[in-house]
């Protein structure tokens, strides 16, 4: 059900986002405690601000009221993905080349399941991460999660 809701929401909001120069980063439909949350993460070139989030929220709220794809009460949240934005799609990985990332894997690669460093390359099948000591190649099929990381 969650994937159906996410697909329906993406179908509703994507044309508006494309028209206005926004990028859909992710959609989450999750239960926390006794409450359901629909979270839509958007971004744009140069970053997104609170007014942008408000515009997307108003549009999406009206569309959700009109189409009513969610049978229970929920909270709608529209926000930026943040500085440590998740990387979910191949295009996200390609844009992240040359940036600091944090990757986790489902099973160990060279004895480790976490890799943080400069993403040197992504060729569609492997990630090459320079951890400072050496470069590590992580197969895409072993990737559990990926996000940008802030360097202090």
């Amino acid at each position: 059900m969650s994937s159906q809701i996410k697909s329906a929401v993406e179908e509703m909001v994507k044309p508006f986002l494309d028209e206005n120069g926004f990028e859909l980063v992710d959609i989450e439909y999750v239960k926390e405690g006794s409450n359901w949350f629909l979270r839509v993460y958007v971004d744009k070139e140069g970053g997104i601000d609170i007014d942008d989030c408000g515009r997307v929220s108003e549009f999406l709220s009206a569309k959700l009221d009109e189409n009513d794809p969610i049978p229970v009460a929920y909270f709608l949240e529209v926000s930026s993905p943040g500085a440590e934005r998740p990387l979910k799609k191949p295009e996200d990985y390609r844009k992240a080349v040359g940036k600091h990332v944090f990757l986790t894997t489902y099973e160990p690669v060279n004895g480790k399941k976490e890799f943080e460093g400069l993403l040197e390359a992504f060729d569609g099948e492997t990630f090459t991460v320079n951890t400072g000591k050496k470069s590590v190649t992580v197969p895409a099929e072993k990737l559990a999660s990926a996000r940008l990381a802030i360097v202090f």
Side-chain angles (χ1 to χ4, degrees), residues 9 27-29 37-40 64 70 74-77:
V9 171
I27 297 173
E28 293 179 342
Y29 180 63
F37 290 86
L38 175 62
R39 294 189 177 111
V40 179
L64 288 165
I70 303 174
Y74 61 94
F75 294 95
L76 172 63
E77 296 177 354

Side-chain angles (χ1 to χ4, degrees), residues 119-132:
L119 181 60
E120 294 180 320
F122 170 69
D123 65 9
E125 306 213 357
T126 60
F127 299 87
T128 304
V129 181
N130 184 325
T131 62

Side-chain angles (χ1 to χ4, degrees), residues 73-147:
Y74 61 94
F75 294 95
L76 172 63
E77 296 177 354
V78 176
S79 69
S80 156
E84 292 192 335
R85 81 180 267 172
L87 306 171
K88 303 254 183 184
K89 302 171 272 196
E91 67 193 57
D92 296 340
Y93 306 137
R94 285 185 190 89
K95 286 181 188 176
V97 171
K99 297 181 180 169
H100 202 80
V101 298
F102 180 76
L103 308 179
T104 61
T105 58
Y106 291 112
E107 55 189 63
V109 174
N110 298 341
K112 293 178 64 183
K113 292 176 78 174
E114 294 183 350
F115 303 90
E116 185 169 346
L118 182 72
L119 181 60
E120 294 180 320
F122 170 69
D123 65 9
E125 306 213 357
T126 60
F127 299 87
T128 304
V129 181
N130 184 325
T131 62
K133 299 172 188 139
K134 62 181 178 176
S135 290
V136 179
T137 300
V138 177
E141 73 266 5
K142 292 187 178 186
L143 185 71
S145 69
R147 65 173 169 76

Side-chain angles (χ1 to χ4, degrees), residues 24-44:
L24 178 62
V25 175
D26 198 12
I27 297 173
E28 293 179 342
Y29 180 63
V30 295
K31 188 170 188 179
E32 294 179 2
S34 60
N35 297 314
W36 283 94
F37 290 86
L38 175 62
R39 294 189 177 111
V40 179
Y41 298 95
V42 295
D43 206 357
K44 71 176 182 184

